[in-house]
Amino acid sequence: MGETLLTTDYFTVKKMAEGVFAAIAIPGRGAWSNAGIVDLGTELLVFDSFNTPSAARELKKQAENLTGKKVKYLVNSHYHGDHVFGNQVFEEAVIISTALTQEWFRDKNVIRDIDTEMIETQQYINQLEFQIYNEKETVVKESLENQYMEMAKLHKELPSLEMVVPTVLFEKKLVISGAERSVELYCFGGAHSPSDAFLYAPMEKVAFMGDLVTENLHLPIFHPEEFLRILLEVKTMDIEQIMPGHGDVGTMKQVDRMIEYLAMLRKAVIDALSYSVSLDDFVSNFVIPDGFRNWKGTQGIKRNLESVYNFYSLKQKEF
């Protein structure tokens, strides 16, 4: 979906509606996640800033060339690096997030010693290379290869990377009004991260979902029950087009697919716990349903099986 307007070294820009554009990351080039652009009228808003300053600089350049406006606002959907490590390019803009995202950003995205950071990142890249060499499953191997390329791009830019933290905060809803259109920022809670915000353009019926919605990807789950609740709440909104955090522009069918995935995991875990199946036995004997077998992820579905199992196992012990 969406009319392709241009392709850069890092991303492809698609027009979703008048004044609303998606920057879809090209795998392995340094963007890693998707970003969004909204022409508010006299001002310009960008949603998420990619994984590297180089990709972010290209995003800012193309956004301003496309609209003839200067970027005034940058929204961070959550604190993960692939969505915020380009923030320094937008340092002069108003950078917006939830208060909880700001807190986690300050706590987790810290470079205390660049030499140590360079060494540790290179060690991780070496581990990925070893995993790629030994991995037998094609889908997991492809995911590891993409992770390797993205981390290599980040490693190259670490010496010049600066952590620029959001300063304008909101909790549940923030409306940003422009001369031509307005957008609404929402946070219904924490699902993929402790706090996941998304952007809704009501007139255009377009949403930039961050990592609340991804396409065919076993993205980590922070809170499975909240994840389901949040997506069901999103379903009540009048949305026709969606830009996921990873993947191509789509429709509400992407939300439906995520709901199916989460419901499948929840049922499988609750059934296993009802029969007192151990975590190891559950994970090793789990048969991935056909509809999710080709989903990507550096650990396949294993990480989410473990996290959902541990969540409901702990919850079971509370009663």
Side-chain angles (χ1 to χ4, degrees):
M1 292 186 67
E3 175 193 356
T4 298
L5 300 181
L6 60 96
T7 299
T8 73
D9 290 340
Y10 305 97
F11 54 85
T12 296
V13 175
K14 292 189 173 185
K15 182 177 179 179
M16 298 180 70
E18 193 63 37
V20 182
F21 311 90
I24 305 299
I26 298 173
R29 300 285 186 84
W32 205 340
S33 63
N34 296 335
I37 303 163
V38 181
D39 183 349
L40 297 170
T42 56
E43 299 159 338
L44 189 59
L45 178 147
V46 169
F47 182 89
D48 282 342
S49 64
F50 290 148
N51 184 58
T52 60
S54 291
R57 277 191 288 273
E58 187 66 19
L59 173 63
K60 184 173 184 286
K61 171 187 168 183
Q62 295 299 340
E64 293 183 343
N65 287 346
L66 186 65
T67 62
K69 318 287 170 58
K70 293 293 183 183
V71 176
K72 180 170 182 180
Y73 303 102
L74 172 68
V75 178
N76 287 162
S77 62
H78 59 296
Y79 79 93
H80 292 163
D82 56 323
H83 295 259
V84 303
F85 281 175
N87 275 16
Q88 69 190 70
V89 173
F90 300 92
E91 194 167 9
E92 295 180 0
V94 177
I95 304 180
I96 304 168
S97 77
T98 66
L100 192 53
T101 287
Q102 185 205 54
E103 180 183 330
W104 279 71
F105 192 126
R106 288 187 188 279
D107 184 50
K108 300 295 184 181
N109 298 336
V110 179
I111 300 177
R112 293 186 174 86
D113 179 78
I114 188 60
D115 292 332
T116 301
E117 196 74 30
M118 290 290 288
I119 291 168
E120 290 178 351
T121 303
Q122 185 59 59
Q123 289 173 342
Y124 177 64
I125 291 169
N126 293 343
Q127 291 171 6
L128 287 171
E129 191 171 20
F130 179 76
Q131 288 177 269
I132 291 166
Y133 180 78
N134 289 284
E135 183 57 53
K136 304 301 180 186
E137 292 186 30
T138 302
V139 175
V140 175
K141 194 181 190 77
E142 290 175 354
S143 300
L144 288 167
E145 288 170 343
N146 184 66
Q147 185 101 345
Y148 175 89
M149 290 187 289
E150 297 289 5
M151 288 304 300
K153 295 287 187 183
L154 178 61
H155 183 260
K156 185 177 180 181
E157 297 193 37
L158 272 177
S160 62
L161 186 64
E162 299 174 20
M163 294 300 158
V164 177
V165 180
T167 54
V168 174
L169 309 177
F170 76 101
E171 292 303 321
K172 296 181 180 180
K173 181 179 179 180
L174 176 66
V175 177
I176 302 175
S177 298
E180 292 184 12
R181 60 186 49 81
S182 298
V183 298
E184 299 169 359
L185 304 181
Y186 289 96
C187 180
F188 294 160
H192 163 67
S193 79
S195 181
D196 294 286
F198 66 97
L199 178 149
Y200 176 52
M203 186 168 68
E204 293 76 17
K205 301 181 181 180
V206 167
F208 299 155
M209 294 306 303
D211 284 352
L212 284 169
V213 179
T214 56
E215 184 182 30
N216 300 337
L217 182 64
H218 297 292
L219 211 65
I221 296 169
F222 178 76
H223 195 301
E225 285 195 345
E226 283 292 283
F227 216 142
L228 268 172
R229 180 192 64 78
I230 289 167
L231 290 182
L232 289 172
E233 194 165 350
V234 169
K235 282 277 292 178
T236 67
M237 302 175 72
D238 187 11
I239 299 172
E240 293 182 355
Q241 289 189 83
I242 280 175
M243 182 191 75
H246 299 264
D248 204 357
V249 172
T251 66
M252 278 295 232
K253 289 182 179 179
Q254 290 182 334
V255 176
D256 292 334
R257 196 74 179 125
M258 291 293 295
I259 290 171
E260 289 173 14
Y261 177 69
L262 291 161
M264 177 273 295
L265 288 173
R266 182 180 184 277
K267 183 179 185 306
V269 165
I270 290 174
D271 286 349
L273 289 171
S274 70
Y275 287 99
S276 300
V277 177
S278 70
L279 174 59
D280 288 344
D281 286 343
F282 172 63
V283 173
S284 61
N285 293 312
F286 186 81
V287 178
I288 305 175
D290 289 341
F292 308 108
R293 195 160 291 166
N294 292 323
W295 281 32
K296 294 183 178 179
T298 55
Q299 298 180 42
I301 200 172
K302 180 183 176 187
R303 175 173 51 192
N304 284 341
L305 291 175
E306 291 176 346
S307 62
V308 176
Y309 183 100
N310 289 331
F311 174 85
Y312 284 106
S313 178
L314 182 63
K315 191 173 181 181
Q316 189 181 63
K317 292 174 183 176
E318 292 174 352
F319 292 96

